[in-house]
Every structure is written in structure tokens, then in C-alpha cells.
Amino acid sequence: MQYVKTRDFVDSVRHLKKKGGSFTTAANKVNALIGEISNGADDPFNGWNVTRNNENRIPKCVKYKITGFSRLVTVQTDKNCIFLYAGSHEDVDKWLDKNEGTHFKADANGYVTVSRSALREMAVRVQTAGHGLSGPLFTHLDPELYQHLVEGLRKIERRVLEELHADDHEPLVELYDDLEPGDQRDAILSVFSCLLSEDLTGANDRIRDFRGELVELDEVETLISSDRFSVIRRNAPDYTAHVQRLMNSESYKTWMLFMHPEQERVAVERFEGPAKLLGVSGSGKTCVVVRRALELAARYPEERILVLTLNPPLASLIRDLVMEAGGKEALDRIRVDPLFSICQEILQGHEPENHRHYDEVTWKADEHVDEIWREYYRCEVNNEDAASMLPVHDSLISRGIEAEKYLRQEFDWIRSAFPLDRRQEYLTAERRGRTHPLSKRFRELVLEGLEGWERKLWAVGVTDYIGIVTAAYRYIDQIKPEYRCVIVDECQDFGTTELSIVRRLAAEAEDDIFLCGDAAQQVSSKFQSVQAAGITTHASRNRQLKLNYRNSRDILRAAFEMLCENLQEGFLDNTDFEVLDPAYADFPGPTPLILEADSIEQEIANALAYIPELHEGAAGRKTLIAIAGLSNFEIGRYGQRPDVNLPFLRPDVPFAGADIYLSDLEQSKGFEFDTVFILNCREGILPDPRIPDDEQYRDLARFYVTMTRAKKNLIVSWSGKASPYLENVKQHFLPGHWTEFLGEEPQPMPRPERLSQLRTQQEERRPPSLQNARQFLYHQHAIGFPMPVIEQLRKYVTGQGRTQGARKERVAWSDVGTAYKDLLRQPSA
């Protein structure tokens, strides 16, 4: 006998338990029954009493009495039992009325589906209609299946079907009355009734049934789980606890832990060595990570399991999910942390006297590493180490590249590719992923600047993320394999140096390393080679998840079309990860919006005002407000302002602690929200025009990742001129102005401040016109100046004015503004 539970059944047990008293006792009895089944009991219903009155509303239905006035509803055949619903006598009666005539079948692969009589289908679906599919209903069907459904119909009859929309079902009823009675007529009514309630899977299944592709349950040897039906695993005690926690939980995390069959198979699979999972956005890779961690902990009960991420907020979320699915005791043997924490421990073990150096914020002063980088790069506070890179800086800005940002990324690339004792290899290496050429001489200057940067970090008692990885790598040969298995989430952004450390954390063995990634979400500029890190993956141990079922079909289509329209070669350069085409989810949602505002201040205010309308007062709905063009440091400072007071995604803010979060476009990776606003999506921000064209694909990846964080509602907003990323995809969005959705716009919020405004250095606060050439050439205004102009500025605008001759003609200037005025007055100047 095979046992299957529906998703409705899991929800019903949870609601039954909440009623308290004898209902809670009934729910516990049902949980115990599931436990007996998963423990392999031959006759789990032994001692259960069937109700006196036969239940005829659903074929082959068997209804059991539970404690008090509760009932358990199942469908049972010779080989299969499906758990449908558990509830009070009254709730069960209502549920049976609503689902009268339901019949269960399976396809040739063993996937379970549902069918009803056509008229009953119509009655039920009209009652349960939701927001409605956009556009003509037939366009949401599989084209091949639709052609089979309407084969033989007259043109006028097909026209009626192809003009049907979700807001008008009367023509369907009229057509049903006009068609010849028979299987095709019933199938048409069933299919379009499913579409009315946004059930795309059901609609396509009805056509497959009409084609004769579905069979009775007992004709299939083995049933397979799906996102609606989950086969209960036999002889798996740990599975019982997992299911019971899902039934008992009211947390927002619950639905994230309901396993899709493809996820389940990968999560519990045994691998002879390192394995790799490629998954599209929304395919539930993080869900697999959680489930696999629990599986490995049960498989190797005497050893520890490690789950690693780069993103601390994501690590915090996964830790919560592990505890939700496995209980607090699961964290005794499953460790979930960002790699940063592992490297900190390695360094504390070998350099305990230097522990204060290894943090993102200095212990000597409350400065974030972003502030320290600017201080170093611009040669402030009497440190001239970065001056060696001025020729590289001038060359880059003359080509329209923001040198300050580009060279910091170059430092990350170098440190992710080469350990300290091999850095000279950088001078001749192919800079994969870095498209702007740098001569050998420039590379020597970059290495000199990197050496100065690391001295600066040490002097102020701080390090950046990749710096702590580089420092920990010095002890690579002394790292002990403390964990039986290591699972890595968002692996596409790990560099070679980081993966080399990962390799040392677990000894080579079965199930030792499990990598999860998606090339379409690669946002870092680091160099990555899984093979060079010593991790040998084999094609036979590669798995893929292509079905996106976290996002609505409308959101995923808009996001993926945006990605494809703007795809660049950089996406295809990663030999370890590939871009996968997603299979669209079956559930629809509201059409994503592209809304114009007058300013970024108004965009933020509009988003905050629109949230209550979208969620209609429902508690626990999660919302992300992501602002393009800002760093997470700048976002954090903005959220901390008293007149803003919103949490942002960071390790010390629990994800369950608030309903609205601020973020940049990078920190949102791995999270899922009911609603996502992406603000400031304007030209000049997305993509960043001050980085090389061939490297702008990382901005595209960040935008795509953030779009696919939305489960139900996606709102993209801009002011000024819309991002070119949105030019050719507006047919997948509903465009408009914010006033069309809000009526009267709220008062604008404060404008987010940039790093230059947050710092205290007076040089940056001085107007550009009062800066000398050296100060001015760090400014955004200087990007794009021709090299001869840059050279003349450095030569003559020195900060010290000087004149010569009897006419006191100026030959050197103190600031750019004075030089410019003289140039206007006397071009020969």
C-alpha cells in the first residue's frame, strides 16, 4: 500500500490542532498515524473506526472517526491511500460538499491528478475564482494540448473560446449548451473552469485525461510526489518529525519547507564524492540545502554537518529553517554560518592576539570598511600608498570607468584567484571575467596598491571579507576536516580561494561536498575555478532543478525575458555553472508593474504607502524595498535614520522580526518575499555606465535576482528616464504613473545619502569648483575626461596659484573653478 498526503491535508491538520481541546488531541492522533506509516507499519488503520454512514460524495472515499467530533477523510483503492482532509464534523461536511465528484487519477509517470464532472467543475471553479489570469484564457494552456482539445470545432466555436477572459464566463456556459454532448464538450468546460480559478496544472491535466493519458491509480506501479501530492516515505522515522513540524507550524517558513519531488530526490540522494546542484531562481535550492542538511545529520549521526553561505542574512535564514524543520536539537550537529565566521575561527586559532583585526568594522573606530577604502584610495590622512595607482586611475577614468570601484573589484579578483605566495602569477594571468585590458606595468602598480591596502587594513585594525579569506588561507595546510559533510549555498559567488578552504573542511568521502548555484545569479567579480580549488565534481554527480514554483508565472516571465533581452557573454564565461532556462510555475499572479515617479524620495514614500493596499491588512506578509545604485552600507545608514526607521537585511536583524525590509540589490539573494519593490531603476543607475560594458552583466544579474525574490507582487519603479533594461520587456509589465495606483501621493521620504555625504572628510564636502586637480579627479564629474585634459589638470591645477610676467598671467591654479573661469575668459590659458 502506498500512502499519499495532499497539501490541503497538511493545512487541515494544522488548523485542527489550533482549535484546542479534543480537536488538538485529534490532530495529534493523525500525526501519530503518519508516524506509524513512515515507520513501516503494515496496518496503520488498525483500531480506527469508519463512520457509520457511507460517504458517497467522493468515489472510493473512506471516512474515519477521530477523537470527539473530528473526522479524517481518505480515498482508498487496492494499492493506494490518499489523505485528503482532517477536521471537525462540520468542517469535513463543508469540505466534502465543495469537493463532491472528485476523482483521482495518475499519468504514466505516477504523478497524481484530480478530475471532476464538467458541471461540478464549473460550479466549484466559479466560486473559487481568484484575481484572474491576464489576457485570453486559452493562451495559458500548453499549445499542443490546446490544439488537441479544440480539434474538430467550428471556427466560430474556437473564436468563442479564444475570446474568453477571466472576468466573463457566461459565453462558456452558452457554448457548453450549444456543443454536441460528449467527452469533448465536458473536457472544454472542465479545462476553462480550471483556468477561471487560475489552476493551470489542473487545466492541462484535464486535456491529458481527455486524450486518454491518465489512468486509475492502481494501474501505476509507483506514485510520485508533486507540489500538490506528497508520497509518505516508508521506513523513515526522521521523515515523521519533519512532516509533523510542518503540520504544527504557523510560521511563514512552513511553505518554504514543503518539498517538491525533484527537490526531495536530490536532498536525500547519496553521492560518491562532491556533487553539484544547478537550479534556476525560485527552484528551491535553499529548501534542498535545509532538507539535505537534516538528511545527512540522520545519515551520519555521530558527525557534524556544515552549511555555508557568503551572505550573513541568508545564513541566518537557513539556520532558522533548519531549526523549524528539525527542532532546536538539529543545530547541535548542523552548523549554519557564512564563510566569514569560519575564517575568523581559523585565524583566532592561529593568531589569537590579532582577533580584533578580523571584522568588517574597526575596533579602534566605528568605521565601516567602505569608508576606510575611500580614505585609502584617495590618499587621505597622510597615507600616500594608493598614489602608486594614479596612472591606472587616470587611464581608467579617461575611458569612462569609475576607477575607484573597478580597482577595488580588481583587488577582490586577485585575492580570490591567487594566494599571497602566488600573486606574481597575476602579472601574466588571463583575467577571466575582467574585460578591460591592463598592461603588465599597470598590473604591477595594482599589486603595489593591493599591498598598501592590506597594510592599511592592518594598521586600522579591520579587514574586508576577501581579506579575511586571504588571511585564513595562509593556514590552509593546517585546516582540519572537522565536518563530515559541507553544503554550500549560492556557490556561484565563491572564489577559488574560498572553495580551497571549503575543500579542507571535510575529508574526501561519500557525500563530502555539495555545491548549489545558479550562473544567472552570479554577482561577484571574483575568479572561480572549482577544479583549481581541488573539488572534483563529475558529470554523473551533477543535478538540475529547472522548475520555478516560488514565483508567479507572470513575475518569472517578466524577469526571465528581461534577462534574455539583455544577456551578455559574461554570463556564459563560467565553466562551472551554466544559465538554465526555467520551467514556468503554474500559478498566476498580478501582472508586474513598472511605475514612474518624480523622484527617488517620492518612490520610497509611494512604496510604503502602497504596501497596506497590496496586503489588505493581512499579518505576516513579507515585503522587500530594494534600492538600486546604493551599497548595503548606505542602505543601512538610511534605514537607521530616525525619520526612516526601517530594518535592513543584516545578520543581527532576524528575518522573522519585521514585515518590511530595506536592501540593496545584492543582499536579497536567497530570500523570498510576498511583495518586492525595486526602486531607482533609472538610466545611469541600471546598468552602471561607469563600469566596462562587458562587465555590466553583474548589474543585470543583481536586477534579475531581486525581481525573482517576489512571490506574488513585483513593482519596479523609476524617475527621470527608465533603465534600458526595461526597454524591450514592457509587454510583460503594466506600465503607469504612481498616481494611477495611489491617487494622492504621500509626502516624500528623505533622500538616501551616499558615502561621500556620510563621511566627515572635508575634502569631499568641498564643492568640486574649489578642489584641486588631485581631489577633483576622484570626483564623478571627472569620469570621461580625455587623457590630455587629465594630464594638464594634474600639471597646472596643483592647489597653489602662481602668476608670471608683468601682466601677472596665471600659470598655475589653486582649484578647478578658477582654472575654468580663466579658460572661459582667455582660451590660451
CSV table of all heavy atoms in Angstrom, one decimal, residues 353-384:
chain,number,residue,atom,x,y,z
A,353,GLU,N,46.1,36.7,19.2
A,353,GLU,CA,46.4,38.1,19.6
A,353,GLU,C,45.9,39.1,18.6
A,353,GLU,O,45.8,40.3,18.9
A,353,GLU,CB,48.0,38.3,19.7
A,353,GLU,CG,48.7,38.2,18.4
A,353,GLU,CD,49.0,36.8,17.9
A,353,GLU,OE1,48.4,35.8,18.5
A,353,GLU,OE2,49.7,36.7,16.8
A,354,ASN,N,45.5,38.7,17.4
A,354,ASN,CA,45.0,39.6,16.4
A,354,ASN,C,43.5,39.5,16.1
A,354,ASN,O,43.0,40.0,15.1
A,354,ASN,CB,45.8,39.3,15.1
A,354,ASN,CG,47.2,39.5,15.2
A,354,ASN,OD1,47.7,40.4,15.9
A,354,ASN,ND2,48.0,38.7,14.5
A,355,HIS,N,42.7,39.0,17.1
A,355,HIS,CA,41.3,38.7,16.8
A,355,HIS,C,40.6,40.0,16.5
A,355,HIS,O,39.6,40.0,15.8
A,355,HIS,CB,40.7,38.0,18.0
A,355,HIS,CG,40.5,38.8,19.2
A,355,HIS,ND1,41.5,39.1,20.1
A,355,HIS,CD2,39.4,39.5,19.6
A,355,HIS,CE1,41.1,39.8,21.1
A,355,HIS,NE2,39.8,40.1,20.8
A,356,ARG,N,41.0,41.1,17.0
A,356,ARG,CA,40.3,42.4,16.7
A,356,ARG,C,40.4,42.9,15.3
A,356,ARG,O,39.6,43.7,14.9
A,356,ARG,CB,40.7,43.5,17.7
A,356,ARG,CG,40.3,43.2,19.2
A,356,ARG,CD,40.7,44.4,20.0
A,356,ARG,NE,40.2,44.2,21.4
A,356,ARG,CZ,40.4,45.1,22.4
A,356,ARG,NH1,41.1,46.2,22.1
A,356,ARG,NH2,39.9,44.9,23.6
A,357,HIS,N,41.4,42.3,14.6
A,357,HIS,CA,41.6,42.8,13.2
A,357,HIS,C,40.5,42.2,12.2
A,357,HIS,O,40.3,42.8,11.1
A,357,HIS,CB,43.0,42.4,12.7
A,357,HIS,CG,44.1,43.2,13.3
A,357,HIS,ND1,44.5,44.4,12.8
A,357,HIS,CD2,44.8,43.0,14.5
A,357,HIS,CE1,45.5,44.9,13.6
A,357,HIS,NE2,45.7,44.1,14.6
A,358,TYR,N,39.9,41.1,12.6
A,358,TYR,CA,39.2,40.4,11.6
A,358,TYR,C,37.7,40.6,11.8
A,358,TYR,O,36.9,39.8,12.2
A,358,TYR,CB,39.5,38.9,11.7
A,358,TYR,CG,41.0,38.7,11.5
A,358,TYR,CD1,41.8,38.1,12.4
A,358,TYR,CD2,41.6,39.1,10.3
A,358,TYR,CE1,43.1,37.9,12.2
A,358,TYR,CE2,42.9,38.9,10.0
A,358,TYR,CZ,43.7,38.3,11.0
A,358,TYR,OH,45.0,38.1,10.8
A,359,ASP,N,37.3,41.8,11.4
A,359,ASP,CA,35.9,42.2,11.4
A,359,ASP,C,35.6,43.2,10.3
A,359,ASP,O,36.6,43.7,9.7
A,359,ASP,CB,35.5,42.8,12.8
A,359,ASP,CG,34.0,42.7,13.1
A,359,ASP,OD1,33.3,42.4,12.1
A,359,ASP,OD2,33.6,42.9,14.2
A,360,GLU,N,34.4,43.5,10.0
A,360,GLU,CA,34.1,44.4,8.9
A,360,GLU,C,34.1,45.9,9.5
A,360,GLU,O,34.1,46.8,8.7
A,360,GLU,CB,32.7,44.1,8.3
A,360,GLU,CG,32.7,43.0,7.3
A,360,GLU,CD,31.5,42.9,6.5
A,360,GLU,OE1,31.0,43.9,6.0
A,360,GLU,OE2,30.9,41.8,6.4
A,361,VAL,N,34.0,46.0,10.8
A,361,VAL,CA,34.0,47.3,11.4
A,361,VAL,C,35.3,47.4,12.3
A,361,VAL,O,35.6,46.4,13.0
A,361,VAL,CB,32.7,47.6,12.2
A,361,VAL,CG1,32.8,48.9,12.8
A,361,VAL,CG2,31.5,47.4,11.3
A,362,THR,N,36.0,48.5,12.3
A,362,THR,CA,37.2,48.6,13.1
A,362,THR,C,36.8,48.5,14.6
A,362,THR,O,35.8,48.9,15.0
A,362,THR,CB,37.9,49.9,12.8
A,362,THR,OG1,37.1,51.0,13.3
A,362,THR,CG2,38.2,50.1,11.4
A,363,TRP,N,37.8,48.0,15.4
A,363,TRP,CA,37.6,48.1,16.8
A,363,TRP,C,38.2,49.4,17.4
A,363,TRP,O,37.9,49.7,18.5
A,363,TRP,CB,38.3,46.9,17.5
A,363,TRP,CG,39.7,46.7,17.2
A,363,TRP,CD1,40.3,46.0,16.1
A,363,TRP,CD2,40.8,47.2,17.9
A,363,TRP,NE1,41.6,46.1,16.1
A,363,TRP,CE2,42.0,46.8,17.2
A,363,TRP,CE3,41.0,48.0,19.1
A,363,TRP,CZ2,43.3,47.1,17.7
A,363,TRP,CZ3,42.2,48.3,19.5
A,363,TRP,CH2,43.4,47.9,18.8
A,364,LYS,N,39.0,50.1,16.6
A,364,LYS,CA,39.5,51.3,17.1
A,364,LYS,C,38.6,52.5,16.8
A,364,LYS,O,38.6,53.5,17.5
A,364,LYS,CB,40.9,51.6,16.3
A,364,LYS,CG,42.0,50.6,16.7
A,364,LYS,CD,43.2,50.9,15.9
A,364,LYS,CE,44.3,49.9,16.3
A,364,LYS,NZ,45.6,50.2,15.6
A,365,ALA,N,37.8,52.4,15.8
A,365,ALA,CA,36.8,53.4,15.5
A,365,ALA,C,35.7,52.8,14.7
A,365,ALA,O,35.9,51.8,14.0
A,365,ALA,CB,37.4,54.5,14.6
A,366,ASP,N,34.5,53.3,14.9
A,366,ASP,CA,33.3,52.7,14.3
A,366,ASP,C,33.2,53.1,12.8
A,366,ASP,O,32.3,53.9,12.4
A,366,ASP,CB,32.1,53.2,15.0
A,366,ASP,CG,30.8,52.5,14.5
A,366,ASP,OD1,31.0,51.4,13.9
A,366,ASP,OD2,29.7,52.9,14.8
A,367,GLU,N,34.1,52.6,12.0
A,367,GLU,CA,34.2,52.9,10.6
A,367,GLU,C,33.9,51.6,9.8
A,367,GLU,O,34.5,50.6,10.1
A,367,GLU,CB,35.6,53.4,10.2
A,367,GLU,CG,35.9,54.7,10.8
A,367,GLU,CD,37.4,55.1,10.4
A,367,GLU,OE1,38.3,54.6,11.0
A,367,GLU,OE2,37.5,55.9,9.5
A,368,HIS,N,33.1,51.6,8.9
A,368,HIS,CA,32.9,50.5,8.0
A,368,HIS,C,34.0,50.5,7.0
A,368,HIS,O,34.6,51.5,6.6
A,368,HIS,CB,31.5,50.7,7.3
A,368,HIS,CG,31.1,49.4,6.6
A,368,HIS,ND1,31.5,49.1,5.3
A,368,HIS,CD2,30.3,48.4,6.9
A,368,HIS,CE1,31.0,48.0,4.9
A,368,HIS,NE2,30.2,47.5,5.9
A,369,VAL,N,34.3,49.3,6.5
A,369,VAL,CA,35.4,49.1,5.6
A,369,VAL,C,35.2,49.9,4.3
A,369,VAL,O,36.2,50.3,3.6
A,369,VAL,CB,35.6,47.6,5.3
A,369,VAL,CG1,34.5,47.1,4.4
A,369,VAL,CG2,37.0,47.4,4.6
A,370,ASP,N,33.9,50.2,3.9
A,370,ASP,CA,33.7,51.1,2.7
A,370,ASP,C,34.3,52.5,2.9
A,370,ASP,O,34.9,53.1,2.0
A,370,ASP,CB,32.2,51.2,2.5
A,370,ASP,CG,31.6,49.9,1.9
A,370,ASP,OD1,32.3,48.9,1.8
A,370,ASP,OD2,30.4,49.9,1.6
A,371,GLU,N,34.1,53.0,4.2
A,371,GLU,CA,34.7,54.3,4.5
A,371,GLU,C,36.2,54.3,4.4
A,371,GLU,O,36.9,55.2,4.0
A,371,GLU,CB,34.2,54.7,5.8
A,371,GLU,CG,32.7,54.9,6.0
A,371,GLU,CD,32.3,55.2,7.4
A,371,GLU,OE1,32.3,54.3,8.2
A,371,GLU,OE2,32.0,56.4,7.6
A,372,ILE,N,36.8,53.2,5.0
A,372,ILE,CA,38.2,53.1,5.0
A,372,ILE,C,38.8,52.9,3.6
A,372,ILE,O,39.9,53.5,3.3
A,372,ILE,CB,38.7,51.9,5.9
A,372,ILE,CG1,38.1,52.1,7.3
A,372,ILE,CG2,40.2,51.7,5.9
A,372,ILE,CD1,38.2,50.8,8.2
A,373,TRP,N,38.1,52.2,2.7
A,373,TRP,CA,38.6,52.1,1.3
A,373,TRP,C,38.7,53.5,0.7
A,373,TRP,O,39.7,53.8,0.0
A,373,TRP,CB,37.7,51.2,0.5
A,373,TRP,CG,37.9,51.3,-1.0
A,373,TRP,CD1,37.1,51.9,-1.9
A,373,TRP,CD2,39.0,50.8,-1.7
A,373,TRP,NE1,37.6,51.8,-3.1
A,373,TRP,CE2,38.8,51.2,-3.0
A,373,TRP,CE3,40.2,50.2,-1.3
A,373,TRP,CZ2,39.7,50.9,-4.1
A,373,TRP,CZ3,41.1,49.9,-2.3
A,373,TRP,CH2,40.9,50.2,-3.7
A,374,ARG,N,37.7,54.3,0.8
A,374,ARG,CA,37.7,55.6,0.2
A,374,ARG,C,38.9,56.4,0.8
A,374,ARG,O,39.6,57.1,0.1
A,374,ARG,CB,36.4,56.3,0.4
A,374,ARG,CG,36.4,57.7,-0.2
A,374,ARG,CD,35.0,58.2,-0.6
A,374,ARG,NE,34.5,57.4,-1.7
A,374,ARG,CZ,33.4,57.7,-2.4
A,374,ARG,NH1,32.6,58.7,-1.9
A,374,ARG,NH2,33.0,57.0,-3.4
A,375,GLU,N,39.0,56.4,2.1
A,375,GLU,CA,40.1,57.1,2.8
A,375,GLU,C,41.4,56.7,2.2
A,375,GLU,O,42.3,57.5,1.9
A,375,GLU,CB,40.0,56.8,4.3
A,375,GLU,CG,41.1,57.5,5.1
A,375,GLU,CD,41.0,57.1,6.6
A,375,GLU,OE1,40.1,57.6,7.2
A,375,GLU,OE2,41.8,56.2,7.0
A,376,TYR,N,41.6,55.3,2.0
A,376,TYR,CA,42.9,54.8,1.5
A,376,TYR,C,43.1,55.2,0.0
A,376,TYR,O,44.1,55.8,-0.4
A,376,TYR,CB,42.9,53.3,1.6
A,376,TYR,CG,44.0,52.7,0.8
A,376,TYR,CD1,45.4,52.8,1.3
A,376,TYR,CD2,43.8,52.0,-0.4
A,376,TYR,CE1,46.4,52.2,0.5
A,376,TYR,CE2,44.8,51.4,-1.1
A,376,TYR,CZ,46.1,51.5,-0.7
A,376,TYR,OH,47.2,51.0,-1.4
A,377,TYR,N,42.0,55.0,-0.8
A,377,TYR,CA,42.2,55.2,-2.2
A,377,TYR,C,42.4,56.6,-2.6
A,377,TYR,O,43.2,56.9,-3.5
A,377,TYR,CB,40.9,54.7,-2.9
A,377,TYR,CG,41.0,54.7,-4.4
A,377,TYR,CD1,41.7,53.7,-5.1
A,377,TYR,CD2,40.5,55.8,-5.2
A,377,TYR,CE1,41.8,53.7,-6.5
A,377,TYR,CE2,40.6,55.8,-6.6
A,377,TYR,CZ,41.3,54.7,-7.2
A,377,TYR,OH,41.5,54.7,-8.6
A,378,ARG,N,41.8,57.5,-1.8
A,378,ARG,CA,42.0,59.0,-2.1
A,378,ARG,C,43.2,59.6,-1.3
A,378,ARG,O,43.3,60.8,-1.3
A,378,ARG,CB,40.7,59.7,-1.8
A,378,ARG,CG,39.6,59.2,-2.7
A,378,ARG,CD,38.3,60.0,-2.7
A,378,ARG,NE,37.3,59.5,-3.6
A,378,ARG,CZ,36.2,60.1,-3.9
A,378,ARG,NH1,35.9,61.2,-3.4
A,378,ARG,NH2,35.3,59.5,-4.7
A,379,CYS,N,44.0,58.8,-0.8
A,379,CYS,CA,45.3,59.2,-0.1
A,379,CYS,C,45.0,60.3,0.9
A,379,CYS,O,45.7,61.3,1.0
A,379,CYS,CB,46.2,59.7,-1.2
A,379,CYS,SG,46.7,58.5,-2.4
A,380,GLU,N,44.0,60.0,1.8
A,380,GLU,CA,43.7,60.9,2.9
A,380,GLU,C,44.5,60.5,4.1
A,380,GLU,O,45.2,59.5,4.2
A,380,GLU,CB,42.2,60.9,3.2
A,380,GLU,CG,41.4,61.4,2.0
A,380,GLU,CD,39.9,61.1,2.1
A,380,GLU,OE1,39.5,60.4,3.0
A,380,GLU,OE2,39.2,61.6,1.2
A,381,VAL,N,44.4,61.4,5.2
A,381,VAL,CA,45.1,61.2,6.5
A,381,VAL,C,46.5,60.8,6.3
A,381,VAL,O,47.1,59.9,7.0
A,381,VAL,CB,44.3,60.2,7.4
A,381,VAL,CG1,43.0,60.7,7.8
A,381,VAL,CG2,44.2,58.8,6.7
A,382,ASN,N,47.2,61.5,5.4
A,382,ASN,CA,48.7,61.4,5.2
A,382,ASN,C,49.2,60.0,4.8
A,382,ASN,O,50.3,59.6,5.1
A,382,ASN,CB,49.4,61.8,6.5
A,382,ASN,CG,49.1,63.2,6.8
A,382,ASN,OD1,49.1,64.1,5.9
A,382,ASN,ND2,48.8,63.5,8.1
A,383,ASN,N,48.3,59.2,4.1
A,383,ASN,CA,48.7,57.9,3.6
A,383,ASN,C,48.7,58.0,2.1
A,383,ASN,O,47.7,58.1,1.5
A,383,ASN,CB,47.8,56.8,4.1
A,383,ASN,CG,48.2,55.4,3.7
A,383,ASN,OD1,48.9,55.2,2.7
A,383,ASN,ND2,47.7,54.4,4.4
A,384,GLU,N,49.9,57.9,1.5
A,384,GLU,CA,50.1,58.0,0.1
A,384,GLU,C,50.3,56.7,-0.7
A,384,GLU,O,50.7,56.6,-1.8
A,384,GLU,CB,51.3,58.9,-0.2
A,384,GLU,CG,51.1,60.3,0.2
A,384,GLU,CD,50.1,61.1,-0.7
A,384,GLU,OE1,50.2,60.9,-1.9
A,384,GLU,OE2,49.3,61.8,-0.1
